[in-house]
Structures are given as C-alpha cells and as structure tokens.
Amino acid sequence: MNEKIPFLEHVAYQMRRWSIRMTSKAGSGHVSSSLSAADIIAALFFDVMHFDPDQFENPNNDRFILSKGHAVPILYAAWHELGKLTDQEVLTYRSFDSVLEGHPTLRFPYAEAATGSLGIGLSIGVGEALAAKQAKRDYKTFVLMGDSEVSEGSIWEAAQLATYYKLNNIIGIIDCNRLGQSTPTMEALEGDGPERFKKMFDAFGWQSEIVDGHDMQSLVTVLEKARTKADRPVMIIARTKKGYGVALMEDKEGFHGKALKDDQEKQALEQLRERFADAASYSDSYQWKSQEPAKEAASKKQVVQMPLPAYKKGEEIPTRKAYGQSLVALGGVCEQVVSLDGEVKNSTYAELFEKAYPDRFYQCFIAEQNMIGMGIGFDRRGFISFISTFASFFSRAHDQLRMAAIGQASLRLAGSHAGVSIGQDGPSQMGLEDIAMMRGLPESIVLYPCDAVSTYKLVNEMANHHESISYLRTTRMATPVIYDPNESFPVGGCKVLKQSSSDQVLVIGAGVTLFEALKAHEELAKEGTSIAVIDLYSIKPLDVQTIISVARACKNRIITVEDHYPAGGIGEAVAAAVSTENIEVYRLAVTHLPRSGQPEELLADAGINAEAIIKRVKQF
Amino acid sequence: MNEKIPFLEHVAYQMRRWSIRMTSKAGSGHVSSSLSAADIIAALFFDVMHFDPDQFENPNNDRFILSKGHAVPILYAAWHELGKLTDQEVLTYRSFDSVLEGHPTLRFPYAEAATGSLGIGLSIGVGEALAAKQAKRDYKTFVLMGDSEVSEGSIWEAAQLATYYKLNNIIGIIDCNRLGQSTPTMEALEGDGPERFKKMFDAFGWQSEIVDGHDMQSLVTVLEKARTKADRPVMIIARTKKGYGVALMEDKEGFHGKALKDDQEKQALEQLRERFADAASYSDSYQWKSQEPAKEAASKKQVVQMPLPAYKKGEEIPTRKAYGQSLVALGGVCEQVVSLDGEVKNSTYAELFEKAYPDRFYQCFIAEQNMIGMGIGFDRRGFISFISTFASFFSRAHDQLRMAAIGQASLRLAGSHAGVSIGQDGPSQMGLEDIAMMRGLPESIVLYPCDAVSTYKLVNEMANHHESISYLRTTRMATPVIYDPNESFPVGGCKVLKQSSSDQVLVIGAGVTLFEALKAHEELAKEGTSIAVIDLYSIKPLDVQTIISVARACKNRIITVEDHYPAGGIGEAVAAAVSTENIEVYRLAVTHLPRSGQPEELLADAGINAEAIIKRVKQF
C-alpha cells in the first residue's frame, strides 16, 4: 500500500470530524451529504489535483467545483486541513458575520462558484474546461455532483456539449449516496443507480467508471487515471453512503440537512473514532506537498476602447445587427472576448463575430441553461464572455442567472427579439418579461439601446464592466441611427432628446418605443402641443435625477412607453423611483397576451405606439 | 401494398402544398421544417391515432403535441385536410385577425399546447400520459420533436421521469432532419444523428427505433406497433430531410424559417408535383375514417368548497405547513386534485398530501422544468394540479411558466422558503425574485398569505381558479394565526388590520413582513404614533381602491415592506398602481445580496423589520 493512503484516510477522517462539529455548532447544515463525499475530497485536494493553495487564482491550477453545494462543510473542512481556515473560523459556518455560508458563495475566497441550486456545476465546469483549451493551458476541471441532481436537465445539456467539444480535461464525479432530500433517487428506486448512470453517460459519449467512493486506493487510482489519460470527458461514479462513518445516520433516510444535537454529536464523533481507528490515531511522517504549478498571477482585465463606430445618421439598421458588428469591433481590440450563442446566431447576429473570429465563437446549441453556466466558467477563468439568444429564451436559464448573480459573475448578455415588435412569430418568441427578470438580478445592469451607435457604445461599456451581470436588449426591426458617433452613453445615464419651455409631459421611451415617442412629439408639435422625450437607454441603473428634473419642467407628469409587460418593467421602475416626488406617472405597456401579426398592428394593439401616446397626452 | 398507403401519401402531398402556400402567403414561416414532418403527420392523423376530429376534447382521444412548434403549418394543414379549416382560413396563417399564429397557441382550437420555445412538449406529454393512468383511460400521447431541441435538458428530464413512471402510453417522435436554425445539430456534426439518439434514449430506458421518415409504410408500421405493443416509453427516430420534396431547399442550410417568394413558390409547387406524381394525381376511393372512441364530453371542473379550517388564533404554524394541510383538506373534497413536488416534499409539506392520497401524489424529483410541463399536461386532461418547490427554484422553469401562460394553463404553484427569512441556508435557497417572475406571467394571480387560515382559504380560491396560473408564496418560519376560520379571502382583496383617525402613514406588509408591520404598529402606539396596516395577501390582482382610500386617510403616505428584491415586487406594484394619485410610496425591500444568518439578523440587515419600519415612520 502506498504510504500516502493512510495519510489521505487520516485527512478524510479529520474532515468528517470537522463537518460534524461545524454543523452541530451552527445547529443546521448538511452533514450527512458531507460525510459521503469526504474520501473523494481528500483524494482530490491532497493527491490528485495540481494546485497551489497559496495562490488560488493561479491560472494553471486545477479547478474544483462543488456542484452539490449543500455539502459545503466538507469544502470548508478541506481548506481547514490545507491550513487556510483556523479551528475558530471553521466553526463560524452559517453565522451572519462569517464568509462560510450555508451554501458556497464567492464571499468565501476559495469557492470556485456559488452553488446551491443543483445541477449547475457541470456547466460551469464545461466553461472552465473550454477556457483551458482557449487559453492553451493544461489545468483540469473537477466537478463533484450529487446523484439526486443528475435528474436536472442542465446536467445532460452539459454532457452533450462536453462531448461535442471533445473535452478531455473535465472530470465529473457523482457522489452516489443513493438518498436525496426526501426520497431515494429515481435511479436507486429503479435498480442499481451507478450502473444506470454509467449507461447514460456512456451513451452521451463520456468515459465513465464506477468506483467504491470510500476506498481510498481505488479513488486515487481512478481519479489519477482520469486526470492524465482521458481522451474525452470522464465521469467517475462513486458508490458512497450518506452519513458514512457514523452508524446513527449511515445510509439512512431522514438525515438530509439535519445537524446533530449535542448528545448525538458526541455519539457521532465516538462512532467515527471507532470506525476509523487507524486514521484517528494516524501519526506517520508522510509529508504532503501539493503538486503546484509555477507561480503565476491571474491576468487582469484591461480597459477596452473600441474605435469610433462608422454608422451614419439616418441609416436604418436593427440594433441586433449592430450588436453583432459591435462585437466584431470589440473582438478586434480585445482578445479576451469570446462569444457564446444558443443556436440563433443568424438572428442575434453573433454570426458576424463567428466569421471574424471563429476560434473565439462557441456554438452552444439549444441549451440555454448550460450556456449561462459555461459563461460563468469563462468569466471565472478570465475571459469576457458575451452571450446571446432571444430575449425570451434567457428565461430558460433564470435560475442559472440567479446563481451567477450570487456568484458575482460578470456575464454580458444580449437578448434579441424583444417585445411585440418582432411581429408574426407570435408570443412564444417575444421577450416581454426580460427587463423584469434582468432588473431582479442583484447588482445587475440593464441597457436598451434604440439605435446602432448607442448599441455600439453600450457594448463597449459592458466589456469594461466586470462587477456584475449586464444585459443588452436589442430589437428585431431596423431603426434609424439618431446619434453621432462621438456621443457617449455612460451606464446609468439617459438622453434628453426633446425639451422645451412649454412641455406638457415627459415621455420616456426606450428601444422601439423611443421612435414612437419621437413620432408623437412631431405630430403633437404640429398641433402646438409640446412634449419632452427621454431615451432611457439605461434602465438599471436609472438616471433618477435627470428624470425628475425634466419631469419638474413638464408639469410633474411622465408617460412611460415600453414594449414589455407592466410587471417589473420601465413604467414600474420609473414610478417607483419618483414615488415620493409628487410626480404623476402614466404607464403604457403590453397589458395582455399578444399574438401574431405585423409589428405595427401589434404596437397599436398593445397601445404602445405614437397614436396611443398622443391619445394619452390629449387626455391632460 | 396496403391501399391506405397511397391515400396517406396523397394527404402528405396535400399538406406539403398547403404548407408552402400558407407560408408564402404570410411572407414568413417555417416551411422547410413542415415538409420534413409531413409524412409523419399524415401517418399519425390519418391512420395511427385514435381520435374524433369532431370532438377534440373527448377524454378518450389520443393526444398530439407539436413540440417543434415552428412547424405549425403542417398542423394547420392537417386540420385543413380533416375538414376543420377552409382554404381561405388556412391562408390567414400569421395574420393579426387569425387564430393560426406563427407558433401554436390555445387560440387555435385544435392545439393541444402552446409551443414555440423548444424542448417543452415531451414534458407536457409525460403529464398527459400520467393523467391517462390516473384517469384509467387508454388514450395514447404522441409528441413530435425536432432533432435540434433534443439538446434541451428538459427533454432528458422528461425521459428520466417517463421511465421512472413506466409510461407505456407515450410515444415520442424525433423529426431528425439534421439541420437546425443556423447549424446542423450537434449529433449530426458528430456522426450519425439517429444512431446517437437511439443510444441515448435506450440508455435512459426508452424503447427506441429508427425509421425512414419519408417511407409511409415503414412509418405506419412502426407507429402502429408503438401505439399498441409498448411496455415502456417509445421514441421513434425518423430520418427525414428538411424541405423534403422541394429540390430547391431539400436538405439545404439557409432555409430555416424562410418562406418562399412568388417565383420560388411556383417552382416549389411544380417540383413537388413532379416528385410526388402519383400522390398528386391520386383519385382512389379509399374511404378514410378516423378510429374514433365513443363520444364523451370532457368533464367540467366543479366548484370546490373546503370545510372550515380548524386553526386557532395565536397558534404558531408555518404557512408552508398550512399549505400541506390545506391540500389534504382539498384532496378530501375534490378527486381531481393531484400534487406534484420537486423532491422537497418535506420542506413544502406536500408530503402531507402524499400520506393522505399516495395515488394522487407525483414525485417529480429535482427537475423543475419537467414538473411544470407535466402540470400543463395534467391541466389539459382535466386535473387540478398543485405544484410545489422552493420559491427560488421555480425560476428554473421560468420559460415553461411563460409558455404555460401563453397556453392559458391553470397551474397552481406553491413556492416555499420565500425571502431572507429562511435564514442560514443562504441566498441560493431564498426566493427573492419570485413575486416579480409570477406577476410577469400574463393574467396570473399572486397570493401571499401571512397565516394558516389565509393560506387555507387561498388554497380553496386557487382550486376554483381555472383561467390562469396562480401562485402561493409561503414562509419557512412559523407565524401566529391571526384570522378567524370564518374570514374570507377573495382574490384581489386585502385586509385592513389597523386603522384609526390619526394615522400618519399606511404600512403595507405581506407574509413575514406583515408581522413586522404589526410589531411596528404596537411599538409606535406606545409612543403615541398611529399607523394603518394592510395585509396584502393578494399581490396580483391588487386591491388598488382599498389601498388608495386608506392611504388618503394616512396623509397620502404609504410604506411597503417586503421580503423580496425591489424589482417587480410589492413596492413597485403599489407605487405604479397609485402613481397618478398624488400618494407618496416609500419602499422597504431587500436591496443587496443577502447571506447566511439567523432570520432576525437577515430581516434587520435587509432593513425590512419592525425597527426599519419605525425608523422610516419617524422620518416623517
């Protein structure tokens, strides 16, 4: 037997102890799910993985993603064994002042990703593995999943993509402990879970292998082989037992997410000591040293400055096409930029980037959840990912976006085909809730350009925004260029396009409705009525000061017009922002389920065209 | 050769012709995707399926779901051949006044489901197949998919569940035409697509078979066998060609979603006639008659009246638990009720229903997308489905919810673990955007009870609401019962709990924050300051009239307090609703990313507890 095996067993024993102690101290937490994973984690962190614990962001480090985020005690225990957390610190688990949260977040400096909604980690891993290929680096990406989460479709999206991209540098591990939160897994109920999983992953093109997840020598052997000799993605299916090592809960239902109370804790620690007597009394001199890559700092993201756009005023061009063109311009000045698209590249115009930089374009096919997960992975490994699909289809990945926000990922999203103005394809293809969804992501930025110049400038802004998710909403139909190439579009600003001393009301439009507002302005002017018009290209943050000051000069009246449902849209954002300012806000939005038709018919039917604005103005 | 084969080929020919004609007339639409599916549809509708075209909702009819919704011209063409659409009607495709939309919606009376976002149909089919088992009916469910959409994870969620539930009454068909919108499919790029799909579905426990999708005899044989002799779910993988029958586009890239222009249309119709000369000149006397089940009307949903709840004032009980208890009471008076849960039944308390009515409980495991699709299927087949998971995890199925709303499905959703008040588990488990998401669904109802009695009464309201999606937000922690069992809670109402002649402000709370508002009321009263308090148990629809009239008596001031992000939440809803009423609205909500901690710490940190309310009131 290799002398390292007793050492690894000792580490696993220690991590089990600390998992019990920290959960009992916290009074809650997922101890049973941690115990099943302890041996796997010991093998990975103290033998198989090549990484430098002192330089977590070293770009050559192997990466580890804890997809089964509830088992985070075992991750904290590992970093405790690595010497990065004191005894005292590890016992702050789940307390308000601690960074050791109930599920991993980026507040913990050694977390690769925020997890806790299940089935997301493998997609993040696919992104990190692709980033390795893109950066021509040799690091490997390990993803630890639970067996319950394999029911999530996103796992199978990731599995298909990993095979398609021939990723021989990603190793998934399923901690197959048979028991979910409230029931055994589907596969366990149907027969032999591991065997079923093996068949499934093999059929998806992975190289999969079943291993005893509590036999250290077997684990080390199979993981080491996976790390060094794979010609495709590898899935290690580890037979484990939930609560392994503590008789009172081992392989038993009813212990998911349950911390042990005082007397139980004592009993558990005793059972553990008896079960792993050798590991508990381990005192060998095996000197563990991580297999570290050479020191290298992660590269910083540079401030990117795109050349001036070449659009001419009056030129008609859809903002979605301008997005594609802007991305090409950006790609020319920044090599970190990659483009991900969900099989609609000819609609979102991501295909322009693909043509210009084929080696930096990633076709993600119709699998939006995995695409967002991949984006998180690319972001973590230093790339600037722009991710495009129809605005409506980002809803497919709402949970991934939510988790990306919790993980402080700086994803850049471009949603085309916003609103009823797309026309004949009908409501299933219309983004009508995207503004609300994107505004709801913590710290997010929501942008909505009306023309090609503002699109171009906002893409540049997004490239330089690394703190959170930014979203660009684009329009299917062509709209005329109204801005000068020199105009700047700071995030959080707006453009006051029409203003006079006799304005009756401030009309706020964005995207396609901005032009309806301008049309209304023109028509009303003929009749001697003047209105102010703002282009709200930045919906979040909102330029509240400018809105209020213009509204003040407009009899304290605002009309908002948006190609979006009312809930969480522009109207509500504005109404809420001025809700203590004694300003009236009238909101025009899509209040009923739309249908197929011509764009003009649908804008009229929704009551968000120039005519509807004029009608509303005349009611004053 | 069977005499029906020439007839079916003739039907397919006719449907191809009409698919070309209607798309060219509309000037847009997915003709190439329709042509690949024509033979499959002919075989299904004119031979294999047992259904009564004159009684679409006959509960014994076989069901057909067009998951590849963009190919809807072929569905309209089928109903044209069935005599239910005139030539004139079929040519209204995609026009504003027509029910023949660009993707199928429930406005078309022969659509089984709204589709158009891909990868959803199979889940709806699983729901319909389970509904057949539940109702002890023999009908079969057919789902036609495209090969591109097989990359969606939701397909694999459905595949796992269908195997788990041993569904021998669902038949999937993949129209394997090799080409997606902008690229060949992953599987086609990797090798032989159909062979790969077969391996994948076989591994997931399906019985799958590859067939020539343009050979009518083979299609009929394999589909008939699948209909009558399956012992598990069946997947027919049909080798087809996109644009089949029209040389100018057959098997060619660049024709996705492109209608043919005048001259192309003429040419295409000619090519079609040459290619299918026999079918075009068909004049046999084969008398097709659908294999109809006996006439039977679909059962109407009855008005359900639950017995009075037994809760006592002051009793402490989490609303999530009251939800489970209410569901049991409902199940006792209504046999149509089924419960679906996403592997958190011990957290949502759906387990109480399972214990009471095990044969009406469906464990959906961790696969929320498929769970919502299943709910749509149950709804279409006459069941009243209540679907539960954590509030945050409904975001995983946002796209399915969006499509359910477009399809006018009456899903009943219960989201537990709302807000920061869940405590230590941290942000990944906190529903903080669910109100916004649910409000954004067209025609939806959003309910948020604060105690067990209101929970119980609102569950009864939901059971009787068949027009749209309704959502119940529940709380993890225990809250005291404050209402009398006789109190009624109409949807769209609210409860004015505190009101006096000297109120300084109206405080609107809901769920857990209602109690913070009541606490603030009590504290402030001690100091001689009085405030009005409303329990906003119905967030959508909103009782605007009551809110305004109470606010008028409160110096036109409102404070909203919610355990939710600001975007699209209660504060924005209220601010927008009173935005022209000269009422000030101050909003307390969760404005930054929360963390793990004790509920009280987190309510304080977010500034949504009694203290924060008091502080805000004192600022007046």
Side-chain angles (χ1 to χ4, degrees), chain A residues 28 94 96 101 103 152-153 157 182 343 368-369 396 399 424-425 439 572 579 582 585 595-596, chain B residues 28 94 96 101 103 152-153 157 182 343 368-369 396 398 424-425 439 572 579 582 585 595-596:
Chain A
S28 71
R94 288 186 164 235
F96 183 73
E101 299 205 51
H103 293 77
E152 282 286 10
E157 295 180 2
S182 69
E343 226 287 58
E368 297 80 6
Q369 296 191 76
R396 194 64 159 255
D399 194 29
Q424 292 184 315
D425 272 336
R439 285 183 65 232
E572 290 196 355
S579 65
N582 194 18
V585 181
R595 56 169 78 174
S596 293
Chain B
S28 71
R94 287 184 165 238
F96 183 74
E101 299 205 50
H103 293 76
E152 283 285 10
E157 295 180 2
S182 70
E343 226 287 59
E368 297 80 5
Q369 296 191 74
R396 194 64 158 255
H398 191 170
Q424 292 184 316
D425 272 336
R439 284 183 65 231
E572 290 197 353
S579 66
N582 195 20
V585 182
R595 57 169 77 171
S596 293

Side-chain angles (χ1 to χ4, degrees), chain A residues 101-159:
Chain A
E101 299 205 51
H103 293 77
T105 70
L106 269 280
R107 294 178 61 232
F108 180 61
Y110 305 106
E112 187 67 14
T115 52
S117 184
L118 290 165
I120 297 179
L122 196 61
S123 299
I124 301 174
V126 168
E128 302 216 325
L130 277 170
K133 300 284 183 190
Q134 184 72 45
K136 303 200 193 325
R137 294 189 185 270
D138 287 332
Y139 71 82
K140 312 293 177 187
T141 301
F142 294 84
V143 181
L144 180 63
M145 288 161 280
D147 45 353
S148 277
E149 67 179 302
V150 179
S151 51
E152 282 286 10
S154 46
I155 297 271
W156 300 103
E157 295 180 2

Side-chain angles (χ1 to χ4, degrees), chain A residues 26-28 30 94-97 101-103 105 107 115-120 148-154 156-157 160-161 163-164 180-187 189-190 196 199-200 203-204 343-347 363 365-369 392-393 395-396 398-400 402-403 405-406 408 424-430 433 436-437 439-440 442-443 565 567-568 572-573 575-577 579-580 582-587 591-597 601-602 605, chain B residues 26-28 30 94-97 101-103 105 107 115-120 148-154 156-157 160-161 163-164 180-187 189-190 196 199-200 203-204 343-347 363 365-369 392-393 395-396 398-400 402-403 405-406 408 424-430 433 436-437 439-440 442-443 565 567-568 572-573 575-577 579-580 582-587 591-597 601-602 605:
Chain A
S28 71
H30 298 80
R94 288 186 164 235
S95 66
F96 183 73
D97 292 322
E101 299 205 51
H103 293 77
T105 70
R107 294 178 61 232
T115 52
S117 184
L118 290 165
I120 297 179
S148 277
E149 67 179 302
V150 179
S151 51
E152 282 286 10
S154 46
W156 300 103
E157 295 180 2
Q160 288 175 82
L161 265 286
T163 296
Y164 176 74
Q181 168 173 331
S182 69
T183 171
T185 67
M186 254 186 292
E187 283 71 17
L189 288 167
E190 288 169 37
R196 294 185 64 91
K199 250 169 85 174
M200 291 156 80
F204 272 63
E343 226 287 58
V344 285
K345 66 184 181 188
N346 51 346
S347 292
Q363 177 55 265
F365 299 93
I366 311 180
E368 297 80 6
Q369 296 191 76
S392 57
F393 299 150
S395 64
R396 194 64 159 255
H398 191 171
D399 194 29
Q400 277 78 4
R402 192 177 71 85
M403 291 306 301
I406 293 172
Q408 299 166 33
Q424 292 184 315
D425 272 336
S428 65
Q429 317 294 301
M430 297 170 176
E433 54 291 292
M437 178 173 73
R439 285 183 65 232
E443 314 299 333
Y565 289 138
E572 290 196 355
S579 65
T580 59
N582 194 18
I583 292 170
E584 295 179 357
V585 181
Y586 298 84
R587 296 167 301 124
T591 54
H592 59 266
L593 188 61
R595 56 169 78 174
S596 293
E601 289 172 319
L602 298 175
D605 178 59
Chain B
S28 71
H30 298 79
R94 287 184 165 238
S95 65
F96 183 74
D97 293 321
E101 299 205 50
H103 293 76
T105 71
R107 294 178 62 233
T115 53
S117 184
L118 289 165
I120 298 180
S148 277
E149 67 179 302
V150 179
S151 51
E152 283 285 10
S154 46
W156 299 103
E157 295 180 2
Q160 286 175 86
L161 265 286
T163 296
Y164 176 73
Q181 169 174 331
S182 70
T183 170
T185 66
M186 255 187 290
E187 282 71 16
L189 288 167
E190 288 170 36
R196 294 184 65 91
K199 251 169 83 174
M200 292 155 79
F204 272 63
E343 226 287 59
V344 285
K345 66 184 182 190
N346 50 346
S347 292
Q363 177 55 265
F365 298 93
I366 311 180
E368 297 80 5
Q369 296 191 74
S392 58
F393 299 150
S395 64
R396 194 64 158 255
H398 191 170
D399 195 27
Q400 276 79 3
R402 192 177 70 85
M403 292 306 301
I406 292 172
Q408 299 166 35
Q424 292 184 316
D425 272 336
S428 65
Q429 318 293 302
M430 298 170 175
E433 54 291 290
M437 177 173 74
R439 284 183 65 231
E443 314 298 334
Y565 290 138
E572 290 197 353
S579 66
T580 59
N582 195 20
I583 292 171
E584 293 179 0
V585 182
Y586 298 84
R587 297 167 301 124
T591 54
H592 59 266
L593 189 60
R595 57 169 77 171
S596 293
E601 290 173 318
L602 298 175
D605 179 59

Side-chain angles (χ1 to χ4, degrees), chain A residues 256-274:
Chain A
H256 182 91
K258 298 261 165 69
L260 302 173
K261 305 243 187 303
D262 290 354
D263 51 333
Q264 281 183 319
E265 181 192 1
K266 214 178 133 195
Q267 194 190 344
L269 291 171
E270 272 164 27
Q271 290 179 349
L272 205 61
R273 197 156 41 235
E274 282 165 29

